[in-house]
């Protein structure tokens, strides 16, 4: 046991000094420890604590990246503060999300929502991407105002996220933003289709029908580009899927 | 428009046709190029563009350029060298300088005059590009492996079906390379297929290559796209077919490795032979290595009980008999020998193999041979095996819920966070 402990300590000393291009052979040993810790909370917590120490220390981007990848698998609420602290750092934000996005805990979602409020630019869009992947219904009030943001990339990300979240609240936010004069009107249309698909998949047929009906009606006007034709097709075929099978 | 009834029948009666063939007849270009006895006039051809034109992409481009019913109009890549070579092939083919050159796929997808695209980027781009292409009204020939994660498949399928797009996967080998095992299965010579042995290759690995100076002819940020940032190194992004290092197919951020790259073919061929392309396993049984020297392997169990053994040691395999067929690429199918009716093996539509099958499907709006759904099911088998290998344990898979059963840790591996600003 003592030898094992020394071995583990040495692996993490090596990780703390690791960088791209260096000998990476010891990482396989850490990988094996992570797999072996499944079903053993004490060992898993010990590894999690060690990975969090790597995040908190003055370590390389490569070392932090590796730690985030493994926390993606074994991270718990104990990792959320350390990961959240990296969300605003351009070099580490994505990999912090790489772990946070997959940690199925309310604290992880809360950290992402909170970061939407104080970050800007691409990092803010990253938070939105992760909230969309989590289908975080609680993010709707955070995302809804962003649909009308002056930055098209931000507004598009928030719009797509609402579509993927796919709740009635998300549908309402998207309906309120459906303005054919908007520079992202096509994105809103696509997001509403995604939203209706999601509601139908979740079994809310009436809500999906309502969205599709609105989209079919909206599709009666507008340009006749390839994109618009495809969107109109999606609205009509979606409505057919959502209608009662009679 | 009003809707008189909450029924499909009522809606279909009152609305214009929703026929995909009516809505998506190929775009009519205005070129005055005239056809001949074998080539339709340009105005009747399917306009195409290509995204990702390195190794496999250049091969696909040559196939489509040689198709008499295709008018190739635009090329897109993040590498200047490949872009120029791809443009030269198009302009040489048509004897002009009309081919558009684009560095960002979004600019290509925004063009309204393009009917269809072929995509042969590294795998980490497939889902984002395919979904965006569906939304922009393009049909898609998408190189295999079509997905990088399990979660991507349903999203891509929803986009393809919802927007009425023809999407063909890019494994030409499934129908062409495995006939020696597929034909006897479909002829009923083996009886009901009860088990399969397959030898998938290794999974991809982490990339820890050192930083090199980024050459000026590559848009490195766009090459990485939704994948984690990593320093430029030629070995990280080279386009050769190797999976043992020094190629993007070796690394987990961009590929599932040999497991999914050749797996797209080999799982596809085996599942095609067994008639399982419409299914996904509901269980992966992990068999650890034994003290007796047998190496670890896994068994994918399909809903009707067919077992697909992956890398099963030879000592455990049934002895080949008259109800078994084998393929040199490590595939064996075993039947029960009971009489079953034979069926005709499906064929490509049109001419010129899988590329021609795609073109014909674009015209007819029928589903191509490697339609996205069997492609997603094929890749699901490979991904499920990959996750079982990584976790070294058995897993139960709920296809309808798209979740592992009672295994939150495995569910973390369904997908991965995308680098900003990419949103799936």
């Amino acid at each position: 046991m003592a030898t094992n402990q020394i071995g583990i300590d040495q692996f993490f000393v090596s990780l703390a000094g690791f960088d791209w291009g260096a000998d990476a052979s010891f990482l396989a040993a850490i990988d094996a420890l992570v797999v072996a810790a499944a079903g053993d909370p004490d060992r898993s917590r010990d590894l999690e604590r060690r990975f969090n120490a790597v995040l908190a220390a003055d370590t390389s981007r490569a070392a932090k990246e590796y730690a985030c990848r493994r926390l993606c698998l074994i991270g718990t609420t104990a990792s959320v503060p350390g990961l959240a602290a990296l969300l605003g750092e351009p070099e580490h934000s994505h990999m912090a999300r790489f772990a946070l996005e997959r940690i199925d805990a309310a604290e992880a979602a809360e950290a992402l929502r909170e970061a939407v409020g104080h970050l800007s630019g691409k990092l803010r869009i990253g938070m939105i991407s992760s909230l969309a992947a989590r289908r975080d219904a609680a993010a709707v009030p955070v995302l809804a105002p962003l649909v009308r943001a002056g930055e098209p990339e931000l507004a598009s990300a928030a719009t797509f996220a609402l579509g993927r979240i796919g709740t009635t609240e998300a549908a309402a936010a998207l309906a309120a933003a459906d303005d054919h004069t908007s520079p992202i009107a096509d994105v809103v249309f696509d997001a509403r289709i995604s939203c209706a698909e999601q509601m139908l998949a979740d079994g809310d047929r009436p809500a999906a029908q309502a969205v599709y009906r609105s989209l079919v009606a909206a599709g009666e006007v507008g340009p006749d580009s390839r994109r618009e034709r495809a969107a109109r097709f999606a609205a009509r075929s979606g409505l057919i899927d959502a209608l009662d099978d009679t | 428009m009003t809707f008189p009834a909450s029924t499909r029948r009522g809606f279909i009666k009152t609305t214009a046709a929703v026929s995909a063939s009516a809505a998506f007849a190929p775009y009519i270009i205005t070129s005055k190029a005239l056809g001949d006895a074998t080539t339709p006039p340009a105005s009747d051809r399917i306009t195409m563009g290509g995204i990702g034109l390195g190794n496999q992409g250049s091969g696909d481009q040559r196939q489509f350029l040689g198709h008499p019913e295709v008018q190739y109009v635009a090329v897109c890549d993040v590498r200047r060298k490949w872009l120029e070579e791809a443009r030269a092939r198009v302009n040489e083919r048509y004897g002009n300088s009309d081919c558009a050159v684009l560095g960002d796929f979004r600019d290509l997808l925004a063009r309204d005059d393009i009917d269809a695209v072929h995509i042969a980027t590294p795998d980490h781009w497939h889902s984002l590009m395919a979904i965006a292409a569906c939304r922009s009204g393009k049909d898609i020939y998408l190189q295999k492996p079509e997905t990088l994660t399990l979660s991507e498949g349903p999203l891509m399928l929803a986009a393809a079906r919802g927007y009425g797009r023809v999407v063909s996967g890019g494994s030409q080998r499934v129908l062409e390379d495995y006939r020696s095992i597929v034909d006897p299965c479909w002829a009923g010579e083996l009886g009901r297929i009860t088990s399969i042995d397959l030898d998938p290759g290794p999974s991809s690995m982490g990339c820890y290559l050192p930083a090199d100076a980024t050459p000026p002819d590559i848009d490195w940020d766009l090459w990485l796209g939704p994948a984690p940032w990593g320093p430029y190194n030629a070995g990280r992004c080279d386009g050769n077919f190797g999976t043992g290092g020094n190629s993007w197919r070796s690394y987990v951020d961009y590929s599932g490795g040999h497991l999914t790259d050749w797996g797209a073919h080999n799982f596809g061929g085996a599942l095609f032979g067994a008639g399982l392309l419409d299914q996904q396993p509901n269980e992966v049984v992990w068999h650890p290595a034994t003290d007796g020297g047998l190496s670890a392997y896994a068994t994918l169990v399909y809903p009707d009980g067919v077992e697909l053994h992956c890398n099963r040691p030879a000592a455990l395999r049934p002895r080949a008999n008259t109800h078994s067929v084998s393929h040199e690429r490590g595939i064996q199918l075993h039947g029960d020998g009971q009489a079953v009716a034979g069926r005709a093996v499906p064929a490509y539509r049109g001419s010129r193999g899988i590329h021609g099958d795609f073109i014909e499907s674009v015209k007819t709006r029928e589903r191509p041979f490697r339609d996205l759904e069997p492609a997603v099911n094929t890749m699901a088998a490979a991904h499920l095996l990959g996750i079982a290998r990584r976790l070294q344990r058995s897993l139960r898979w709920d296809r309808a819920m798209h979740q592992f059963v009672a295994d939150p840790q495995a569910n973390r591996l369904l997908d991965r966070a995308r680098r900003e600003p990419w949103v799936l």
Side-chain angles (χ1 to χ4, degrees):
Chain A
M1 180 65 187
T3 304
N4 286 346
Q5 194 62 46
I6 292 168
I8 295 171
D9 289 345
Q10 187 54 52
F11 294 147
F12 277 86
V13 168
S14 298
L15 179 58
F18 177 68
D19 206 347
W20 281 302
D23 176 16
S25 56
F26 68 95
L27 296 178
I30 300 182
D31 290 346
L33 290 170
V34 170
V35 170
D40 185 336
D42 288 341
R43 289 170 73 183
S44 189
R45 271 195 294 271
D46 176 59
L47 290 169
E48 182 180 19
R49 179 185 58 75
R50 291 170 184 270
F51 286 128
N52 280 314
V54 171
L55 296 187
D58 182 18
T59 52
S60 71
R61 184 173 186 170
K64 286 186 169 61
E65 180 195 279
Y66 179 84
C68 288
R69 288 178 190 272
R70 298 309 173 259
L71 287 172
C72 170
L73 204 56
I74 63 168
T76 68
T77 53
S79 296
V80 171
L83 292 165
L86 298 176
L87 291 175
E89 297 187 21
E91 281 200 351
H92 306 304
S93 183
H94 173 230
M95 293 313 295
R97 285 193 297 109
F98 200 93
L100 272 179
E101 183 178 303
R102 309 308 300 172
I103 296 174
D104 188 18
E107 290 85 346
E110 178 58 33
L112 292 163
R113 288 195 295 269
E114 190 176 309
V116 172
H118 65 79
L119 295 178
S120 61
K122 288 184 178 179
L123 299 191
R124 193 181 200 189
I125 291 172
M127 305 305 129
I128 294 169
S129 174
S130 287
L131 290 166
R134 293 177 67 103
R135 294 194 60 211
D136 181 39
V140 172
V142 177
L143 299 174
L146 302 180
V147 172
R148 294 182 182 280
E151 307 160 60
E153 202 168 27
L154 174 64
S156 296
T159 301
F160 275 132
L162 288 169
R164 191 156 174 201
I165 290 169
T167 60
T168 51
E169 292 78 12
L174 290 169
D178 200 349
D179 170 3
H180 72 278
T181 65
S182 162
I184 62 161
D186 52 353
V187 175
V188 175
F189 200 99
D190 288 335
R192 295 189 71 196
I193 287 170
S194 294
C195 191
E197 283 171 357
Q198 195 61 64
M199 290 191 292
L200 188 58
D202 291 344
D204 194 349
R205 188 176 290 269
Q209 279 185 25
V211 175
Y212 281 129
R213 286 177 191 280
S214 166
L215 291 171
V216 169
E220 294 299 308
V221 296
D224 189 37
S225 68
R226 173 181 301 281
R227 180 184 176 84
E228 271 71 31
R229 289 199 301 276
R232 280 199 291 272
F233 179 91
R236 290 179 177 185
S237 64
L239 179 56
I240 290 170
D241 287 343
L243 289 172
D244 296 334
D245 194 14
T246 52
Chain B
M1 172 174 273
T2 58
F3 303 96
S6 292
T7 67
R8 287 184 187 149
R9 193 173 300 160
F11 177 66
I12 292 169
K13 277 182 179 173
T14 56
T15 189
V18 293
S19 150
S21 59
F24 302 119
Y27 188 86
I28 306 300
I29 65 171
T30 57
S31 167
K32 294 179 180 176
L34 299 175
D36 55 30
T38 58
T39 306
S43 59
D44 291 342
R45 293 177 215 156
I46 293 162
T47 52
M48 284 195 74
I51 305 171
L53 293 153
N55 271 8
Q56 193 63 44
S58 66
D60 289 336
Q61 187 199 29
R62 288 184 177 90
Q63 291 294 321
F64 288 121
L65 271 175
H67 199 292
E69 295 184 84
V70 167
Q71 183 75 21
Y72 206 102
V73 298
V75 293
C76 176
D77 203 291
V78 297
R79 293 178 188 242
R80 176 57 56 180
K81 176 175 179 287
W82 290 348
L83 206 47
E84 293 299 338
E85 291 174 358
R87 171 167 62 175
R89 284 190 289 271
V90 177
N91 289 341
E92 182 181 354
R93 164 75 173 82
Y94 299 121
N96 60 29
S97 57
D98 292 350
C99 181
V101 176
L102 302 160
D104 189 321
F105 72 97
R106 291 167 291 191
D107 294 330
L108 188 144
L109 296 182
R111 283 183 54 149
D112 199 51
D113 63 335
I114 293 178
D115 295 313
V117 295
H118 66 92
I119 298 172
T121 59
D123 309 349
H124 63 282
W125 267 116
H126 287 179
S127 59
L128 275 164
M129 288 181 174
I131 291 171
C134 288
R135 287 173 173 158
S136 70
K138 311 285 191 281
D139 297 321
I140 308 160
Y141 180 85
L142 178 63
Q143 258 305 330
K144 59 80 193 171
E146 291 80 356
T147 61
L148 182 61
T149 71
L150 277 165
S151 287
E152 292 172 342
L155 296 172
M156 294 162 71
L157 265 174
R161 298 291 189 256
Y163 287 78
R165 308 324 310 167
V166 171
V167 183
S168 172
S171 172
Q172 78 287 358
R173 296 182 187 275
V174 170
L175 188 57
E176 297 170 26
D177 286 18
Y178 303 104
R179 295 306 288 264
S180 64
I181 56 173
V182 167
D183 287 353
C185 293
W186 281 66
E189 294 172 13
L190 280 62
R192 188 180 73 85
I193 303 301
T194 55
S195 66
I196 305 166
D197 273 290
L198 182 65
D199 292 326
S203 304
S204 50
M205 54 193 168
C207 182
Y208 309 113
L209 293 169
D212 281 346
T214 307
D217 83 327
I218 186 170
D219 183 337
W220 183 236
D221 187 66
L222 200 51
W223 189 93
L224 289 168
W229 186 87
Y232 174 84
N233 183 296
R236 191 185 278 270
C237 62
D238 268 1
N240 68 47
F241 296 100
T243 54
N246 287 324
S247 75
W248 61 263
R249 284 183 172 85
S250 310
Y251 300 120
V252 69
D253 287 336
Y254 325 119
S255 169
H258 200 287
L259 167 63
T260 59
D261 190 50
W262 265 93
H265 299 311
N266 292 345
F267 276 101
L271 296 174
F272 179 40
L276 291 171
L277 281 175
D278 61 339
Q279 298 185 34
Q280 293 184 10
N282 53 18
E283 189 176 7
V284 189
V285 180
W286 180 253
H287 309 276
T290 68
D291 294 338
L294 293 176
S295 55
Y297 73 101
T299 301
L300 308 182
V301 183
Y302 279 80
D304 61 359
V306 176
E307 294 183 331
L308 197 170
H309 304 287
C310 301
N311 310 104
R312 182 163 61 159
L316 300 178
R317 298 187 186 195
R319 187 170 297 170
N321 57 44
T322 55
H323 310 310
S324 299
V325 288
S326 301
H327 190 278
E328 63 189 7
R329 290 207 177 89
I331 305 173
Q332 287 179 308
L333 291 106
H334 313 287
D336 63 6
Q338 302 299 308
V340 295
R343 297 175 293 160
V345 178
Y348 290 140
R349 295 185 176 82
S351 59
R352 297 172 180 253
I354 194 170
H355 299 86
D357 181 70
F358 171 67
I359 294 302
E360 190 68 15
S361 300
V362 169
K363 290 162 57 185
T364 63
R365 313 311 298 170
E366 294 173 288
R367 291 186 183 168
F369 173 76
R370 191 171 167 101
D371 174 56
L372 186 58
E373 189 161 357
V376 164
N377 292 338
T378 299
M379 297 322 304
H383 295 318
L384 289 169
L385 172 60
I387 292 172
R389 277 180 175 175
R390 179 167 176 189
L391 299 177
Q392 296 180 29
R393 62 172 179 259
S394 299
L395 304 164
R396 283 184 293 144
W397 175 241
D398 184 332
R399 179 187 183 180
M401 295 299 293
H402 208 73
Q403 292 274 308
F404 290 102
V405 179
D407 195 331
Q409 189 180 45
N411 282 325
R412 293 188 182 197
L413 299 175
L414 291 173
D415 203 11
R416 55 186 75 162
R418 288 165 182 80
R419 192 168 66 104
E420 57 276 358
W422 302 101
V423 183
L424 188 62

